[in-house]
Coordinates of all heavy atoms in Angstrom, one line a residue:
R1 N -15.6 1.8 -4.8 CA -15.7 1.1 -6.1 C -14.5 0.3 -6.4 O -13.4 0.6 -5.9 CB -16.1 2.1 -7.1 CG -15.0 3.2 -7.4 CD -15.4 4.2 -8.4 NE -14.3 5.2 -8.5 CZ -13.4 5.1 -9.5 NH1 -13.4 4.1 -10.3 NH2 -12.5 6.0 -9.6
G2 N -14.6 -0.6 -7.4 CA -13.5 -1.3 -7.9 C -13.8 -2.8 -8.0 O -14.9 -3.3 -7.7
R3 N -12.8 -3.6 -8.5 CA -12.9 -5.0 -8.5 C -12.2 -5.7 -7.4 O -11.1 -5.4 -7.1 CB -12.3 -5.5 -9.8 CG -12.5 -7.0 -10.1 CD -11.7 -7.5 -11.3 NE -11.9 -6.8 -12.5 CZ -13.0 -7.0 -13.4 NH1 -13.8 -8.1 -13.1 NH2 -13.1 -6.3 -14.4
Y4 N -12.9 -6.5 -6.7 CA -12.4 -7.1 -5.4 C -12.4 -8.6 -5.5 O -13.4 -9.2 -6.1 CB -13.2 -6.6 -4.2 CG -13.1 -5.1 -3.9 CD1 -14.0 -4.3 -4.4 CD2 -12.0 -4.7 -3.1 CE1 -13.9 -2.9 -4.2 CE2 -11.9 -3.3 -2.8 CZ -12.9 -2.5 -3.4 OH -12.8 -1.1 -3.1
R5 N -11.4 -9.2 -5.0 CA -11.4 -10.6 -4.9 C -11.2 -11.1 -3.4 O -10.3 -10.7 -2.8 CB -10.2 -11.2 -5.7 CG -10.0 -12.7 -5.7 CD -9.0 -13.1 -6.7 NE -9.5 -12.9 -8.1 CZ -8.8 -13.1 -9.2 NH1 -7.5 -13.6 -9.1 NH2 -9.3 -12.9 -10.3
L6 N -12.2 -11.9 -3.0 CA -12.1 -12.5 -1.7 C -11.2 -13.8 -1.8 O -11.5 -14.7 -2.5 CB -13.5 -12.9 -1.2 CG -13.6 -13.6 0.2 CD1 -13.1 -12.7 1.3 CD2 -15.0 -14.0 0.4
R7 N -10.0 -13.8 -1.1 CA -9.1 -14.9 -1.2 C -9.1 -15.8 0.0 O -8.8 -17.0 -0.1 CB -7.6 -14.3 -1.4 CG -7.5 -13.4 -2.6 CD -6.0 -12.9 -2.7 NE -5.9 -12.1 -3.9 CZ -5.7 -12.5 -5.1 NH1 -5.6 -13.8 -5.4 NH2 -5.6 -11.7 -6.1
A8 N -9.5 -15.3 1.1 CA -9.5 -16.1 2.4 C -10.4 -15.5 3.4 O -10.7 -14.4 3.4 CB -8.1 -16.2 2.9
V9 N -10.9 -16.4 4.3 CA -11.6 -16.0 5.5 C -10.8 -16.5 6.7 O -10.1 -17.5 6.7 CB -13.0 -16.6 5.5 CG1 -13.8 -16.0 4.4 CG2 -13.0 -18.1 5.5
K10 N -10.9 -15.7 7.8 CA -10.1 -16.1 9.0 C -11.0 -17.0 9.9 O -12.1 -16.7 10.2 CB -9.8 -14.8 9.8 CG -8.9 -15.1 11.0 CD -8.4 -13.9 11.7 CE -9.5 -13.2 12.5 NZ -9.0 -12.1 13.3
V11 N -10.4 -18.2 10.2 CA -11.1 -19.1 11.1 C -10.4 -19.1 12.4 O -9.1 -19.3 12.5 CB -11.1 -20.6 10.5 CG1 -11.8 -21.6 11.4 CG2 -11.7 -20.6 9.1
S12 N -11.1 -18.9 13.5 CA -10.5 -18.8 14.8 C -11.3 -19.7 15.8 O -12.5 -20.0 15.5 CB -10.4 -17.4 15.3 OG -11.8 -16.8 15.4
S13 N -10.6 -20.1 16.8 CA -11.2 -21.0 17.8 C -10.4 -21.0 19.1 O -9.2 -20.8 19.1 CB -11.2 -22.5 17.3 OG -11.7 -23.3 18.2
R14 N -11.2 -21.2 20.2 CA -10.6 -21.3 21.6 C -10.7 -22.8 22.1 O -10.4 -23.0 23.2 CB -11.3 -20.4 22.5 CG -11.1 -18.9 22.1 CD -11.8 -18.0 23.1 NE -11.3 -18.2 24.5 CZ -12.0 -17.6 25.6 NH1 -13.0 -17.0 25.4 NH2 -11.4 -17.9 26.8
Y15 N -11.0 -23.6 21.2 CA -11.1 -25.1 21.5 C -9.7 -25.6 21.9 O -8.7 -25.2 21.2 CB -11.7 -25.8 20.4 CG -11.8 -27.3 20.5 CD1 -12.8 -27.9 21.3 CD2 -10.8 -28.2 20.0 CE1 -12.9 -29.3 21.4 CE2 -10.9 -29.5 20.2 CZ -11.9 -30.1 20.9 OH -12.0 -31.4 21.1
P16 N -9.5 -26.5 22.8 CA -10.5 -27.2 23.6 C -10.9 -26.5 25.0 O -11.9 -26.8 25.5 CB -9.9 -28.6 23.8 CG -8.5 -28.3 23.8 CD -8.2 -27.2 23.0
F17 N -9.9 -25.8 25.6 CA -10.0 -25.4 27.0 C -10.2 -23.9 27.1 O -10.4 -23.4 28.2 CB -8.8 -25.9 27.8 CG -8.5 -27.3 27.7 CD1 -7.3 -27.8 27.3 CD2 -9.5 -28.3 28.1 CE1 -7.0 -29.1 27.3 CE2 -9.2 -29.6 28.0 CZ -8.0 -30.1 27.6
G18 N -10.2 -23.2 26.0 CA -10.3 -21.7 26.1 C -9.1 -21.0 26.6 O -9.2 -19.8 26.9
F19 N -8.0 -21.6 26.7 CA -6.8 -20.9 27.2 C -6.1 -20.1 26.1 O -5.5 -19.0 26.4 CB -5.7 -22.0 27.7 CG -6.2 -22.8 28.9 CD1 -5.6 -24.0 29.1 CD2 -7.0 -22.2 29.7 CE1 -6.0 -24.7 30.2 CE2 -7.5 -22.9 30.9 CZ -7.0 -24.2 31.1
F20 N -6.2 -20.5 24.9 CA -5.7 -19.8 23.8 C -6.7 -19.5 22.7 O -7.6 -20.3 22.5 CB -4.5 -20.6 23.1 CG -3.5 -21.1 24.1 CD1 -3.5 -22.3 24.6 CD2 -2.5 -20.2 24.6 CE1 -2.6 -22.8 25.5 CE2 -1.5 -20.7 25.5 CZ -1.6 -22.0 25.9
S21 N -6.5 -18.4 22.0 CA -7.3 -18.1 20.8 C -6.4 -18.3 19.6 O -5.5 -17.5 19.4 CB -7.9 -16.7 20.9 OG -8.7 -16.4 19.7
K22 N -6.6 -19.3 18.8 CA -5.8 -19.5 17.6 C -6.6 -19.3 16.4 O -7.8 -19.4 16.3 CB -5.4 -21.0 17.6 CG -4.4 -21.3 18.7 CD -3.9 -22.7 18.6 CE -2.9 -23.1 19.7 NZ -2.3 -24.5 19.5
D23 N -5.9 -18.8 15.3 CA -6.6 -18.5 14.0 C -5.8 -18.9 12.9 O -4.5 -19.0 13.0 CB -7.1 -17.1 14.0 CG -6.0 -16.1 14.1 OD1 -5.2 -16.0 13.1 OD2 -5.7 -15.4 15.1
R24 N -6.4 -19.1 11.8 CA -5.7 -19.4 10.5 C -6.5 -18.9 9.4 O -7.8 -18.7 9.5 CB -5.4 -20.9 10.3 CG -6.6 -21.7 10.4 CD -6.3 -23.1 9.9 NE -6.1 -23.2 8.4 CZ -6.1 -24.3 7.7 NH1 -6.2 -25.4 8.3 NH2 -5.9 -24.3 6.5
N25 N -5.9 -18.6 8.3 CA -6.7 -18.1 7.1 C -7.0 -19.4 6.2 O -6.1 -20.2 5.9 CB -5.8 -17.1 6.3 CG -5.8 -15.8 6.9 OD1 -6.6 -15.4 7.7 ND2 -4.8 -15.0 6.6
C26 N -8.3 -19.4 5.8 CA -8.7 -20.6 5.0 C -9.1 -20.0 3.7 O -9.9 -19.1 3.6 CB -9.9 -21.2 5.7 SG -10.4 -22.8 5.0
E27 N -8.5 -20.6 2.6 CA -8.8 -20.1 1.3 C -10.2 -20.2 0.9 O -10.9 -21.2 1.2 CB -7.9 -20.9 0.3 CG -6.4 -20.7 0.4 CD -5.7 -21.4 -0.7 OE1 -6.3 -22.1 -1.5 OE2 -4.4 -21.4 -0.7
A28 N -10.7 -19.1 0.3 CA -12.1 -19.0 -0.2 C -12.1 -18.1 -1.4 O -12.1 -16.8 -1.2 CB -13.0 -18.6 0.9
E29 N -12.1 -18.5 -2.6 CA -12.0 -17.7 -3.8 C -13.4 -17.2 -4.2 O -14.3 -18.0 -4.4 CB -11.4 -18.4 -4.9 CG -9.9 -18.7 -4.7 CD -9.0 -17.4 -4.9 OE1 -9.5 -16.5 -5.5 OE2 -8.0 -17.4 -4.3
A30 N -13.5 -15.9 -4.3 CA -14.7 -15.2 -4.9 C -14.4 -13.9 -5.4 O -13.4 -13.2 -4.9 CB -15.8 -15.2 -3.8
E31 N -15.1 -13.4 -6.4 CA -14.8 -12.1 -7.0 C -16.1 -11.2 -7.1 O -17.2 -11.8 -7.3 CB -14.2 -12.3 -8.4 CG -13.7 -11.0 -9.0 CD -12.9 -11.2 -10.3 OE1 -11.7 -11.7 -10.2 OE2 -13.5 -11.0 -11.3
C32 N -16.0 -9.9 -7.0 CA -17.1 -9.0 -7.0 C -16.7 -7.7 -7.6 O -15.6 -7.2 -7.2 CB -17.7 -8.9 -5.6 SG -19.1 -7.7 -5.5
V33 N -17.5 -7.1 -8.4 CA -17.3 -5.7 -9.0 C -18.1 -4.8 -8.1 O -19.4 -5.0 -8.1 CB -17.6 -5.6 -10.4 CG1 -17.5 -4.2 -10.9 CG2 -16.7 -6.5 -11.2
C34 N -17.6 -3.8 -7.5 CA -18.3 -2.9 -6.6 C -18.6 -1.7 -7.4 O -17.6 -0.9 -7.8 CB -17.5 -2.6 -5.3 SG -18.3 -1.5 -4.2
Y35 N -19.9 -1.4 -7.7 CA -20.3 -0.2 -8.5 C -20.1 1.0 -7.6 O -20.1 0.9 -6.3 CB -21.7 -0.4 -8.9 CG -22.0 -1.4 -10.0 CD1 -23.2 -1.9 -10.2 CD2 -20.9 -1.9 -10.7 CE1 -23.4 -2.8 -11.2 CE2 -21.1 -2.9 -11.7 CZ -22.4 -3.3 -11.9 OH -22.6 -4.3 -12.9
P36 N -20.0 2.2 -8.2 CA -20.0 3.4 -7.4 C -21.2 3.6 -6.5 O -22.3 3.1 -6.8 CB -19.9 4.5 -8.4 CG -19.3 3.9 -9.6 CD -19.9 2.5 -9.6
E37 N -21.0 4.3 -5.4 CA -22.2 4.7 -4.6 C -23.3 5.4 -5.3 O -23.0 6.4 -6.0 CB -21.7 5.5 -3.4 CG -22.8 5.8 -2.4 CD -22.3 6.8 -1.3 OE1 -21.2 7.2 -1.4 OE2 -23.1 7.1 -0.4

């Protein structure tokens, strides 16, 4: 339970040749109140 804020999602890719896996965090603002179970 609690108040949660989604600030970012992880974007990853192996483009173009698949030699490396790179990732970065992309901002994505959202908020949710999680009620008790």
Side-chain angles (χ1 to χ4, degrees):
R1 64 187 178 91
R3 187 190 303 275
Y4 294 92
R5 178 169 292 177
L6 178 63
R7 300 184 182 276
V9 294
K10 185 173 75 172
V11 182
S12 58
S13 177
R14 297 178 61 190
Y15 177 83
F17 304 125
F19 295 153
F20 308 99
S21 178
K22 294 185 178 181
D23 60 75
R24 57 167 289 190
N25 287 337
C26 193
E27 293 184 1
E29 288 290 335
E31 190 174 282
C32 178
V33 175
C34 183
Y35 292 161
E37 178 186 6

